[in-house]
Amino acid sequence: MSKLSIGIVGLPNVGKSTLFNALLGKKVADASNYPFCTIDPNVGVVEVPDEKLPILGKIVNTVKLVPAIVEFVDIAGLVKGASTGEGLGNKFLTNIRDCDAIMHVVRNFSDDNIVREGSVDPQGDFEVICAELIIKDLDSIDKYISGFKNNPIESKTKKFALALKLKSELEKGILAINIDLNDDEKILVKEFFMLTYKPYFIVANVDENTYQNISEFKTNLQNVIPVCAKTEFELSELDKTDQENYLKELGMEKSGLERVIQKAYETLGLQSYYTAGVKETRAWTIHIGDTAPQAAGVIHTDFERGFIMAEIVSYADFVANNGWENSKTKGLLRHEGKQYVMHPDDIVEFRFNV
């Protein structure tokens, strides 16, 4: 995939825009203390933190380093009733559809100066947003069912049967991604472009005291990481050395940005591989389980169509032997064909016909 797109959603005033600004490392979104301050979705592209890339670049004496990127979309605060047009939510529910995954931000801090616009507690925040997404999906499913229920051909298809199944489960409050589907249904469900079928993870926006005792953080929510948006924004305004010192003071090994991106990769089942040359050394994002031709296709579709083979060295071998030539001399360079499944951190050169 050329880039990963994450939609940031949550109730108003839970810290979405502050977190968005911190992720981008500068003030972009309006983080004012009132609902609906984000009128149009803010979109920001963030480089994936990567310690391996500069090491590879130094070994091959590259001119240019190109990290993998993540696109964050700060979607305006939703409220109860957003799916039926309440507040500004109806428009922004549509914006979520273009994202690869959803990052739910829930409020887990106490600050009487920040207005609680519908926010009660982390679990409640999450449930309100999920309910709005479910209602929006039900609306789409109902339109499909009513449009084809009297069609003698379509009403007997697997797709129509799936629509009825989805409707039944959604009405129970179950997200589409948590519905048990068989292999055929997993293919067909994509034709409905459902918001609740998107992978998701949760960021609990905690206060500064909680952040300094993060190992003791507890929540009933699943797939959640604690982040203090305020602290992360303060971090984003420091230079790299000061950031590292500040993180040490907090007892943190990684910044919120690094942990959010790591969680996004885990949630979507992604990994990176590298190309390393004098002109450019670059990190590429692919799905775990992708074959060599599929990985080549991320660079250019012609690479996948004309794939011949991949010349591969593991990152560890590449670094230990100072590049391509020594790795090849020691027999560590492998020639892999179309069936090869990519490993994390493979260093690759593709051979192909145009």
Side-chain angles (χ1 to χ4, degrees):
M1 58 196 307
S2 57
K3 72 172 182 294
L4 167 63
S5 181
I6 305 293
I8 307 176
V9 302
L11 295 172
N13 296 340
V14 296
K16 296 187 318 305
S17 293
T18 301
L19 181 59
F20 176 79
N21 293 333
L23 292 171
L24 265 65
K26 57 182 182 294
K27 192 175 189 304
V28 178
D30 182 357
S32 301
N33 177 27
Y34 58 90
F36 314 128
C37 64
T38 308
I39 304 302
D40 292 311
N42 289 288
V43 179
V45 176
V46 177
E47 295 181 356
V48 175
D50 192 333
E51 296 177 352
K52 296 182 176 69
L53 196 62
I55 295 173
L56 293 174
K58 186 175 182 180
I59 290 173
V60 297
N61 195 27
T62 193
V63 174
K64 183 180 180 183
L65 295 178
V66 184
I69 59 172
V70 174
E71 179 183 86
F72 286 99
V73 183
D74 179 27
I75 298 169
L78 304 179
V79 294
K80 188 174 182 180
S83 57
T84 56
E86 188 69 29
L88 296 173
N90 200 29
K91 174 184 176 185
F92 302 105
L93 285 166
T94 304
N95 295 130
I96 300 170
R97 215 178 293 275
D98 297 327
C99 298
D100 297 304
I102 297 173
M103 183 172 89
H104 290 267
V105 180
V106 297
R107 179 168 175 160
N108 205 109
F109 63 89
S110 298
D111 188 339
D112 293 336
N113 296 317
I114 305 295
V115 178
R116 282 188 178 272
E117 187 66 26
S119 177
V120 179
D121 56 58
Q123 182 74 38
D125 289 3
F126 179 65
E127 289 176 356
V128 167
I129 298 302
C130 287
E132 295 306 315
L133 300 181
I134 286 173
I135 292 169
K136 191 70 173 176
D137 279 348
L138 274 170
D139 181 56
S140 299
I141 293 293
D142 283 339
K143 286 179 180 177
Y144 168 79
I145 292 173
S146 62
F148 290 102
K149 63 183 179 181
N150 295 321
N151 185 308
I153 298 176
E154 185 72 16
S155 62
K156 290 181 173 57
T157 63
K158 290 182 179 180
K159 182 177 178 180
F160 192 84
L162 174 59
L164 295 175
K165 178 178 179 178
L166 292 171
K167 176 178 171 63
S168 174
E169 296 298 292
L170 288 169
E171 287 177 340
K172 298 174 186 175
I174 301 174
L175 301 175
I177 197 168
N178 294 328
I179 298 173
D180 186 23
L181 302 177
N182 61 39
D183 291 341
D184 288 341
E185 290 172 334
K186 287 177 181 178
I187 295 172
L188 287 172
V189 73
K190 295 176 183 178
E191 296 182 20
F192 292 111
F193 302 101
M194 303 182 73
L195 301 176
T196 60
Y197 195 67
K198 289 186 178 296
Y200 70 87
F201 60 99
I202 304 168
V203 169
N205 186 14
V206 301
D207 56 34
E208 292 159 296
N209 290 333
T210 302
Y211 213 37
Q212 293 183 41
N213 298 282
I214 203 167
S215 61
E216 300 174 15
F217 176 78
K218 294 180 181 179
T219 178
N220 293 326
L221 293 168
Q222 302 296 314
N223 204 21
V224 60
I225 53 173
V227 171
C228 178
K230 183 179 178 182
T231 298
E232 289 299 324
F233 184 67
E234 291 170 354
L235 268 171
S236 72
E237 295 187 307
L238 303 176
D239 61 34
K240 186 174 178 59
T241 301
D242 287 341
Q243 282 184 10
E244 292 173 352
N245 291 334
Y246 193 6
L247 284 170
K248 286 180 182 177
E249 288 179 18
L250 295 172
M252 307 286 292
E253 294 183 3
K254 296 181 178 180
S255 69
L257 169 62
E258 291 174 287
R259 290 185 296 113
V260 163
I261 290 177
Q262 182 180 17
K263 178 61 74 173
Y265 269 56
E266 290 174 2
T267 302
L268 283 163
L270 302 176
Q271 65 185 26
S272 295
Y273 78 88
Y274 300 91
T275 51
V278 176
K279 291 184 178 180
E280 178 182 280
T281 296
R282 183 165 184 161
W284 301 89
T285 301
I286 57 173
H287 291 94
I288 294 171
D290 276 356
T291 61
Q294 289 172 319
V298 172
I299 300 176
H300 198 287
T301 53
D302 287 347
F303 285 24
E304 182 173 4
R305 282 196 296 266
F307 179 90
I308 299 174
M309 68 174 180
E311 296 182 341
I312 298 177
V313 179
S314 72
Y315 172 82
D317 287 340
F318 195 90
V319 173
N321 293 282
N322 204 37
W324 290 107
E325 289 304 317
N326 288 341
S327 297
K328 183 176 181 180
T329 299
K330 292 187 178 182
L332 299 171
L333 185 149
R334 312 187 309 274
H335 295 87
E336 304 288 358
K338 293 182 178 181
Q339 303 305 315
Y340 176 75
V341 176
M342 298 291 291
H343 293 172
D345 304 330
D346 278 342
I347 318 298
V348 188
E349 280 191 0
F350 292 108
R351 303 299 178 189
F352 60 96
N353 285 320
V354 258

